[in-house]
Amino acid sequence: MNSRLKIGATKTYKMCKEHVNGFENIGASLNDFKNFHRDVKCYINERDGQLFIDRFKNLADTREYFYFDYEVDVDNSLVRAVWADRIAGRNYAVFGNAVSFYPTYATNKYFMVFTPFTGVDNHRWSVIFFGALLSRENEESFTWLFKRFLEAMGGKEPEYIITDQDPDIISSVANVFKTARHRFCMWHILNKVPVKFGSNTKDLPDFFRDLNAIVWDEDLEPGDFDKRWGEILADYGVGLERNWFQEVFKIRRQWVLAHCKDLIIGGVLRTTQKSESENSFFKKFENNSGTLVEFWMRFESAIDQQRHTQKKLDSDNRHSSPKLLTQLPVELHGSRVYTHELFEDFQQEVISFTSGLNARGFSEENGVEITNLKDALRGKVFDIQFNTRTYQVTCTCMKFERCGMLCRHIISILSSNGVKTIPDAYVARRWCKDAVGKKNENVELVDSRQIELTKLWSEVYETVGLL
């Protein structure tokens, strides 16, 4: 009965006992629960696809905004379905500069694949912008899907779309998206390294460590990365006959951080990559024997939980302050505008600018001051340009361009010029406490037992309503 919680009739019966204070108060026997479960499953199996679409129609009629579309084949069987609600659209408007798309989740007995479009919110948590089920993973299906996605989001393209290297996805992205930059998921590529490395597994841990060190190094220059890649492969005897390593090197500009320095907010790519925590979240939907109705119940439950977490984090951020480690006004300002998760990184930049930076040169031309700073921690010299009239400032480390946060080098230059807070132009909204407004301020928290019982009865009422 309780598809959302993945429990059977027996456990549901016991939970009902807790809710009504005794088996004698339930008004039904365990066999009644089992028979009810059997009858409902039988009813759903005969009408599964229609019930699934009817749920979409009901949501479209009763909610402020709910987008959906679907297609059936010649046998009137559901082959594609997509959906997004108002909150998903709002999240996309704020956090949709980088979107991940991974069609990898088998969620029902029809082998339709769940293909979510996800991103990262201001707390660095995964959020779903758009959901879809596909019966076929081919260029036609992906093209249809990407067009529906843009339609649901008002035609607004993301700055980047991150996918795996599926040829049909690559072709569909090129055909549908006109301005979005296509990047490949580092997680997917690096996850294949152990298989592609070969039989000499004793060297694999060291090889994997060295390869990761250059792949994730944002300070490496493109030429330095290319040189180190060749050296590492040579050191571990990975010759040119390993075609896979040659192929991923050829497309390095689409997945290696050293070759993505010019990407605006490219640092989001770090947290948008497919992760183990995200994989764990989507595993909640995996059930190769489940119906579409059961999938939808689990999906709604998981989304409710995800959004409750987001609301709680929003509330916690507005009603608490992180510990300050300096008396600098810029640190205080950062603690007030940034979420706690982002502020931890910003705080490290503030602390670092107070030590470990040494001026190596200075020049001025047409009101633009150019300062060369040696960063002892990173072992490099960075050039900072500061316009004394407009207060525009750039740094060759490009941290703001990559991550949407000022670097220690710029903070140092601003401070020396009497700028004590973060200029408005350099406060990226996507990392702010009020990124999505203040509608989430009041969050009612209940204990986990009550949440589970509420879900249980909600599903009972919903299931009865189907009969």
Side-chain angles (χ1 to χ4, degrees):
M1 182 184 296
N2 201 342
S3 300
R4 291 186 180 186
L5 303 179
K6 293 187 180 181
I7 64 176
T10 301
K11 287 187 178 180
T12 302
Y13 187 64
K14 291 179 180 179
M15 289 184 69
C16 286
K17 184 263 290 186
E18 296 296 326
H19 188 65
V20 299
N21 298 317
F23 288 118
E24 66 277 7
N25 297 321
I26 294 178
S29 67
L30 175 58
N31 282 335
D32 291 332
F33 270 63
K34 290 180 178 179
N35 292 336
F36 180 71
H37 178 262
R38 179 202 62 207
D39 294 342
V40 169
K41 292 278 283 187
C42 181
Y43 179 88
I44 290 174
N45 283 332
E46 295 174 356
R47 304 164 178 82
D48 195 19
Q50 189 59 54
L51 290 171
F52 186 66
I53 297 303
D54 286 347
R55 177 60 175 160
F56 285 173
K57 293 178 179 178
N58 176 261
L59 290 171
D61 289 340
T62 58
R63 290 190 178 180
E64 180 180 345
Y65 174 81
F66 186 84
Y67 174 93
F68 76 96
D69 200 356
Y70 66 96
E71 285 194 350
V72 297
D73 61 16
V74 292
D75 297 320
N76 206 35
S77 297
L78 185 67
V79 293
R80 302 166 186 158
V82 295
W83 63 90
D85 64 6
R86 179 184 60 83
I87 296 177
R90 180 202 66 186
N91 284 335
Y92 177 74
V94 180
F95 308 120
N97 51 328
V99 173
S100 299
F101 174 74
Y102 305 121
T104 56
Y105 307 100
T107 57
N108 53 79
K109 65 180 183 179
Y110 313 106
F111 302 104
M112 297 184 77
V113 178
F114 178 46
T115 58
F117 291 69
T118 65
V120 176
D121 70 7
N122 51 337
H123 306 288
R124 289 182 172 149
W125 277 72
S126 176
V127 288
I128 295 180
F129 302 135
F130 194 70
L133 286 173
L134 299 177
S135 62
R136 298 181 183 88
E137 297 178 71
N138 55 29
E139 184 176 349
E140 179 188 359
S141 292
F142 292 135
T143 298
W144 179 88
L145 173 58
F146 293 153
K147 288 180 178 179
R148 300 291 87 73
F149 170 74
L150 289 180
E151 184 176 84
M153 300 304 163
K156 178 185 176 182
E157 294 192 17
E159 294 176 29
Y160 317 107
I161 182 165
I162 303 133
T163 74
D164 61 23
Q165 298 162 267
D166 183 286
D168 288 330
I169 293 179
I170 293 173
S171 180
S172 296
V173 168
N175 290 334
V176 176
F177 294 96
K178 306 306 179 185
T179 61
R181 300 188 186 188
H182 191 190
R183 294 294 179 264
F184 297 133
C185 176
M186 298 168 72
W187 187 93
H188 272 103
I189 292 175
L190 293 175
N191 204 39
K192 296 177 182 177
V193 168
V195 177
K196 304 296 183 179
F197 182 68
S199 58
N200 189 17
T201 56
K202 69 180 181 66
D203 290 335
L204 178 59
D206 292 337
F207 174 75
F208 199 57
R209 178 201 62 213
D210 292 347
L211 203 64
N212 267 280
I214 63 168
V215 165
W216 292 100
D217 191 342
E218 297 172 342
D219 286 337
L220 269 183
E221 295 299 324
D224 294 333
F225 171 85
D226 296 351
K227 179 181 178 182
R228 286 291 298 131
W229 176 277
E231 291 173 346
I232 291 172
L233 264 59
D235 289 344
Y236 290 92
V238 181
L240 295 178
E241 71 279 0
R242 306 284 179 87
N243 291 332
W244 183 82
F245 288 96
Q246 293 185 61
E247 293 303 315
V248 295
F249 180 74
K250 289 178 182 178
I251 59 172
R252 60 194 180 281
R253 290 178 178 82
Q254 288 186 272
W255 68 280
V256 173
L257 292 182
H259 285 276
C260 296
K261 289 179 179 289
D262 61 328
L263 301 187
I264 301 173
I265 314 296
V268 177
L269 298 181
R270 269 186 173 273
T271 43
T272 312
Q273 306 294 334
K274 179 178 169 66
S275 65
E276 287 301 325
S277 59
E278 181 180 289
N279 194 43
S280 176
F281 176 79
F282 288 120
K283 279 187 177 295
K284 297 175 183 178
F285 310 129
E286 291 184 354
N287 183 359
N288 291 335
S289 62
T291 64
L292 295 177
V293 170
E294 288 175 304
F295 161 77
W296 184 255
M297 288 179 176
R298 289 174 183 164
F299 176 81
E300 283 196 316
S301 179
I303 287 296
D304 287 346
Q305 182 179 354
Q306 184 186 81
R307 291 173 177 176
H308 178 80
T309 299
Q310 187 182 45
K311 288 180 180 180
K312 184 179 183 303
L313 287 170
D314 285 344
S315 180
D316 290 347
N317 270 257
R318 292 193 181 101
H319 296 100
S320 64
S321 300
K323 181 181 179 180
L324 301 181
L325 301 179
T326 74
Q327 295 183 338
L328 296 170
V330 69
E331 184 191 16
L332 176 62
H333 185 211
S335 72
R336 289 174 174 172
V337 297
Y338 292 134
T339 61
H340 296 346
E341 292 74 19
L342 193 282
F343 175 71
E344 288 181 4
D345 289 349
F346 180 73
Q347 188 176 53
Q348 291 305 309
E349 295 298 318
V350 173
I351 294 172
S352 298
F353 109 78
T354 60
S355 62
L357 296 181
N358 299 298
R360 289 298 181 89
F362 177 84
S363 61
E364 183 177 1
E365 184 177 349
N366 298 324
V368 177
E369 298 178 349
I370 303 173
T371 305
N372 316 116
L373 287 181
K374 173 67 180 295
D375 189 328
L377 184 64
R378 294 163 73 173
K380 294 187 66 174
V381 175
F382 297 99
D383 300 330
I384 303 91
Q385 295 190 18
F386 175 66
N387 190 311
T388 56
R389 294 190 300 270
T390 65
Y391 281 29
Q392 287 183 313
V393 60
T394 61
C395 178
T396 52
C397 80
M398 302 188 73
K399 187 175 186 68
F400 179 76
E401 289 79 4
R402 289 184 288 105
C403 303
M405 178 179 67
L406 290 182
C407 62
R408 64 197 68 174
H409 319 114
I410 287 180
I411 295 172
S412 175
I413 297 302
L414 291 176
S415 179
S416 65
N417 281 274
V419 182
K420 303 301 182 183
T421 59
I422 309 167
D424 290 344
Y426 299 101
V427 178
R429 181 191 172 195
R430 70 155 359 268
W431 298 126
C432 290
K433 295 180 180 181
D434 60 350
V436 293
K438 297 186 177 182
K439 292 183 179 180
N440 293 339
E441 187 162 356
N442 296 319
V443 180
E444 182 179 350
L445 301 178
V446 296
D447 63 52
S448 58
R449 179 173 174 272
Q450 184 60 44
I451 290 175
E452 297 303 299
L453 288 171
T454 301
K455 287 179 180 178
L456 168 64
W457 282 106
S458 174
E459 183 176 333
V460 170
Y461 298 143
E462 185 174 9
T463 305
V464 171
L466 296 175
L467 296 175

